[in-house]
Amino acid sequence: MSFGLAPPRRFPLMTKALARLAPLAMMSLVAGCQALPSGNAEFATERDPMEGAPPIERGLDAEGLAGLLTAELAGQRGDYQRATLGYLEVAERYRSSALTERAALAASFGNDQELLTRAAGQWQDLEPDSEAPARLLAGLAMQRGDWPEALSQRLALIARGGDSDLAAFAEAALADNAEPEPLLALLYPHLERTPPDARRHDAELATALLEVAAGNTLAAQRRLDQLGRRAPELPALWLTRTRLAQERGDHVAARDAARRGLEVSPEDARFILLLAQSELRLGNPTAAERQTDALLDEHTGNNELRLALAQLYLEEGHPEPARRLLLPLIDDPDAPPRVYLLLGDTARAEGEVDNALLYYRQVAAGDQFLAARVRAAGMLVDNDRLTDARTFLRIERLRHDDYFTDLLTLEIELLDQQGESASASELLARELDRTPNDEQLLYLRAMRAYGEGDIEAMERDLGRIIERNPDNAMALNALGYTLVDLGLEERYDEARDMIERAQQLDPDNPAILDSLGWVYYRQGDPEQALQWLERAYDTLPDQEIAAHLAEVLWVLERRDEARDVVRLAIERHDEHPVIDALLERIPQLAP
C-alpha cells in the first residue's frame, strides 16, 4: 500500500530534517569534542562551564542531536522500531512535522502498524492541513477494519479538495461486512454541505449502497431516481442500479440497467459482464454468450478477461461455455495455472472425474497448487474413491517434494473427515518416525491430541517444537492459549509469558492478540484484556474472538456493545458453536 511518502535513499545519515534543525548544536558539539581535556581526574574536579548557561533556543541541544543521530543510525541498521521511536521523541520535543513524517516512513519499512498509526497521528497533529497523514491514517483504518475512522479521514480529505471515490469506499466497506449505520451517520451531514456537483453524485451513490445494506431500500431507490434525473450520463449510477437490482433478485431490472450503462459507456467491460450475468440468471445462456463473444472480439488477447468470463459461467452453473472459453488457452505454453484449475472445475461439473483429475494435476507449483490438489482429492472422495484419492496424494508427494508435508497433512485431514482416524494416526506416526523433527507434523499431531482430549500428548509435542525452535510463535501461542482456556490457574503466568513471546515474534497476528486478551481476562484484568481483544477483532472478526470480546464487554457493563458483537457474529457465520456456547453461559447476551 502506498501512503504518499517518498522512498528514502536507505536512510541517508544527514536528512533534510536534521540539516534544518542541527547546525548550531552540531558545531558546538564538534568544537566541544575537540576541546575535551585528556586527563579525566582533573576534568572531574572542574566546575561545569555550562552551568547556569541559558537554554538553547535555536537548533538542537546535545540531547536532541544524540536522539536524532541514534534514530538515523538505527534506520541504517534496519532497526526501524528504534528509528521510529527516536524520531517521534525528537519530533515531540521540537514540534517538527518533518521528523514525524520521517518516523512514519521508518515505521512503514518496519511493517509496524501500531507505530505507523502513532506516527501518522502525531504528524497530523503537527500538520493538520496536510493531505499525506490523513491519507495514511485512512489507509491504516481500512486495513484494521475501522471503517468509520477511515471514512472520517476520507471526508476530511474531500473537504480540503482531495479525491472523492466514496462509492468505491462503500463497496469495499460492505464487502468487509462493515456496519452501514455508523457510515451513514457520517455521510448524511456530508451530503447536506456538498453542492450538486460530481463529488455530491459520488457521495449519493455511496449513501444509496449503504442504505440498501441497512435495509432502507426505498430511500436508496428514491436517491438513485433523483440522481438519474440530475446526472443520467453517470456510469457509476447504472453500475450501482444494476448491482442493487441483482441483489434484490430483479434480474430484468438488472439487465435493463446494464444495457443503459452500456449506452452511456460502451467501452466499459463491467456492463457487459453484468449484462451476461443477468441473462444467465434469466435462463438465456445464448444471449449471454453473444455478449461475451462481443466483449472478447473487442479485447483480443486479454486472457484475464477470458478467465473472468469462464469463472462467471461456472458460478452460474454453465460449464460448457466456460470450457469453450478456456480450451484455446492451453495451446499457450505460458498459460497461467488458473486455466487448468478452471478446466478441472469444468470437467468436474460435467461429471468427468478422470478428465478433471488430469487438469488438476497440471496446475504447477504456486498459489493455485494446493487448491487444485484439495479439489482433486475431494472430488475422488465424493465419488467413493477414497483409495484413489490417497494414491493420488501419495504420488503427488513424490512428484513435488517442496509440498510433501502440505500434501501429507491434506491426506491426514481427509482421512479424519472420512472417519478413518486410526489410518490417519498411523500415517502421521509413520512419517514422524521418518522425520521426527518436522515442526508442521508435530504441530498437527498436537492439535489432533487436543481434539481427542489428550492434553499431555499435545503439550509434549508443542514443547518439543518450542525446545528446538524457541521462536515458533504458532506453537507458543497454541500452548499458552490452551493452558488458559483449560482454566489451569496455577499456570497462567507461564501461559502469559509464552503468549507475550509469541506476540513479540508476530505482533499483529489476531489469534495471538486474542490469546493475550484472554489470559489478561482470566487473570482478572478485563480492562487490559479489552485493548488486545479489540485489536484482534478489528483484524479478524471470527466467532471465537467475537465470543471473547462480547464476554469481556459484558463484564465491563458495556451490555449493548456486547450484544451487538454477538448479533454480528450470528449474522456473519452460518454455524456459530462458540457463540452458542457463550449464550448458554450468559443467556442475557442474546441480541
Side-chain angles (χ1 to χ4, degrees):
M1 172 177 286
S2 172
F3 296 116
L5 300 174
R9 292 177 292 173
R10 190 60 185 178
F11 278 81
L13 188 59
M14 283 296 293
T15 64
K16 291 181 180 178
L18 178 59
R20 284 203 297 269
L21 290 169
L24 294 179
M26 178 70 83
M27 291 169 62
S28 300
L29 189 63
V30 171
C33 289
Q34 292 170 341
L36 282 177
S38 58
N40 290 339
E42 181 182 354
F43 180 69
T45 62
E46 292 287 337
R47 183 173 179 272
D48 182 0
M50 296 301 294
E51 184 179 339
I56 294 175
E57 296 180 352
R58 293 180 58 202
L60 292 168
D61 59 14
E63 183 180 351
L65 180 59
L68 195 53
L69 286 173
T70 299
E72 286 286 322
L73 290 170
Q76 288 281 343
R77 294 193 306 269
D79 187 350
Y80 297 122
Q81 181 182 43
R82 179 173 293 183
T84 304
L85 292 171
Y87 288 130
L88 288 176
E89 183 179 350
V90 181
E92 188 172 357
R93 291 184 68 199
Y94 294 99
R95 307 294 294 168
S96 168
S97 62
L99 286 176
T100 56
E101 180 178 357
R102 190 76 171 165
L105 190 60
S108 69
F109 284 150
N111 198 27
D112 190 324
Q113 301 298 300
E114 188 174 355
L115 265 183
L116 186 54
T117 301
R118 175 181 163 189
Q122 192 169 327
W123 183 8
Q124 190 175 60
D125 288 343
L126 292 172
E127 205 171 343
D129 293 329
S130 173
E131 285 193 17
R135 290 190 184 281
L136 178 51
L137 286 167
L140 289 168
M142 289 176 67
Q143 281 187 340
R144 65 177 182 267
D146 188 350
W147 293 97
E149 171 62 18
L151 181 57
S152 295
Q153 293 290 347
R154 188 174 287 263
L155 293 176
L157 279 171
I158 293 170
R160 290 196 288 269
D163 295 334
S164 179
D165 207 15
L166 291 173
F169 173 88
E171 287 186 350
L174 293 174
D176 196 47
N177 295 313
E179 283 288 284
E181 288 84 359
L183 302 179
L184 286 168
L186 294 168
L187 274 175
Y188 286 142
H190 173 74
L191 278 173
E192 290 178 3
R193 58 178 179 263
T194 303
D197 57 12
R199 292 187 180 188
R200 182 183 175 90
H201 298 160
D202 178 57
E204 294 274 15
L205 288 170
T207 304
L209 286 167
L210 293 168
E211 285 173 335
V212 169
N216 196 354
T217 53
L218 288 177
Q221 193 58 56
R222 283 196 300 269
R223 192 176 301 280
L224 290 174
D225 289 343
Q226 293 169 4
L227 185 57
R229 289 191 290 272
R230 292 197 306 268
E233 303 304 309
L234 193 65
L237 166 68
W238 299 105
L239 277 172
T240 305
R241 279 190 160 176
T242 305
R243 289 167 178 163
L244 293 181
Q246 284 188 340
E247 285 180 16
R248 66 175 184 265
D250 189 347
H251 303 305
V252 172
R255 180 180 60 187
D256 293 344
R259 284 174 175 168
R260 182 70 177 91
L262 265 180
E263 293 174 6
V264 170
S265 183
E267 301 301 318
D268 194 331
R270 292 173 298 176
F271 287 116
I272 296 181
L273 285 170
L274 288 167
L275 183 54
Q277 190 174 47
S278 299
E279 294 285 13
L280 289 172
R281 292 179 179 180
L282 287 168
N284 302 324
T286 303
E289 284 194 79
R290 282 199 301 269
Q291 298 294 334
T292 55
D293 287 346
L295 181 60
L296 289 171
D297 287 343
E298 293 177 8
H299 298 81
T300 303
N302 189 332
N303 290 345
E304 283 301 316
L305 177 58
R306 189 176 285 271
L307 287 168
L309 290 169
Q311 183 76 56
L312 170 65
Y313 280 111
L314 277 171
E315 289 173 354
E316 297 299 329
H318 296 274
E320 187 52 38
R323 190 201 306 265
R324 287 197 292 271
L325 286 165
L326 293 167
L327 284 176
L329 297 178
I330 62 176
D331 294 331
D332 183 354
D334 298 322
R338 190 161 164 243
V339 171
Y340 295 100
L341 185 71
L342 291 176
L343 278 168
D345 291 347
T346 300
R348 181 180 181 180
E350 297 276 29
E352 301 170 1
V353 175
D354 292 323
N355 277 344
L357 193 61
L358 289 172
Y359 285 128
Y360 286 137
R361 292 186 68 175
Q362 291 183 74
V363 176
D367 293 342
Q368 308 288 341
F369 179 89
L370 284 175
R373 275 67 190 176
V374 168
R375 294 184 194 185
M379 173 187 66
L380 290 169
V381 169
D382 289 343
N383 285 271
D384 298 321
R385 293 170 59 178
L386 176 60
T387 302
D388 289 344
R390 296 192 65 183
T391 301
F392 164 73
L393 292 172
R394 185 166 59 252
I395 292 171
E396 290 299 283
R397 289 200 294 274
L398 295 173
R399 293 178 64 217
H400 303 280
D401 189 59
D402 289 345
Y403 290 91
F404 187 96
T405 302
D406 291 319
L407 292 166
L408 181 68
T409 300
L410 174 56
E411 183 175 350
I412 291 167
E413 292 175 350
L414 195 66
L415 288 167
D416 280 336
Q417 291 169 8
Q418 297 303 307
E420 299 282 348
S421 295
S423 297
S425 298
E426 181 184 343
L427 174 61
L428 180 55
R430 186 168 66 245
E431 290 301 327
L432 274 170
D433 285 343
R434 191 177 64 84
T435 55
N437 297 317
D438 188 309
E439 292 182 9
Q440 187 174 335
L441 294 182
L442 285 169
Y443 187 87
L444 176 60
R445 187 167 69 179
M447 293 301 100
R448 295 182 80 245
Y450 175 80
E452 295 165 1
D454 190 347
I455 303 304
E456 289 185 8
M458 181 209 74
E459 184 171 359
R460 186 168 56 248
D461 279 334
L462 290 178
R464 186 169 162 186
I465 295 171
I466 294 167
E467 182 180 0
R468 290 185 57 82
N469 180 8
D471 292 339
N472 190 309
M474 187 168 64
L476 286 165
N477 180 61
L479 182 53
Y481 176 78
T482 301
L483 297 176
V484 174
D485 205 46
L486 290 173
L488 304 177
E489 296 183 24
E490 70 279 5
R491 300 187 68 182
Y492 279 180
D493 288 340
E494 177 190 357
R496 193 171 89 182
D497 286 344
M498 284 189 280
I499 297 168
E500 285 176 343
R501 281 169 57 198
Q503 198 268 331
Q504 290 169 2
L505 293 163
D506 194 356
D508 299 315
N509 186 313
I512 298 174
L513 297 175
D514 172 62
S515 299
L516 198 51
W518 199 233
V519 70
Y520 274 113
Y521 172 64
R522 286 292 182 88
Q523 289 188 307
D525 190 350
E527 289 283 359
Q528 182 75 0
L530 183 64
Q531 302 175 34
W532 297 104
L533 292 172
E534 286 180 330
R535 278 185 60 188
Y537 185 76
D538 286 343
T539 306
L540 180 67
D542 74 2
Q543 61 166 313
E544 187 166 6
I545 297 175
H548 291 163
L549 177 59
E551 183 168 343
V552 170
L553 287 168
W554 185 264
V555 168
L556 291 171
E557 303 291 331
R558 294 166 62 171
R559 304 293 170 84
D560 290 340
E561 293 174 69
R563 290 191 184 97
D564 285 343
V565 171
V566 170
R567 176 178 56 81
L568 273 175
I570 292 172
E571 290 175 357
R572 285 172 173 164
H573 305 284
D574 294 333
E575 297 182 3
H576 33 76
V578 181
I579 296 293
D580 294 340
L582 174 65
L583 292 175
E584 286 182 14
R585 288 191 294 108
I586 312 176
Q588 302 93 323
L589 265 170

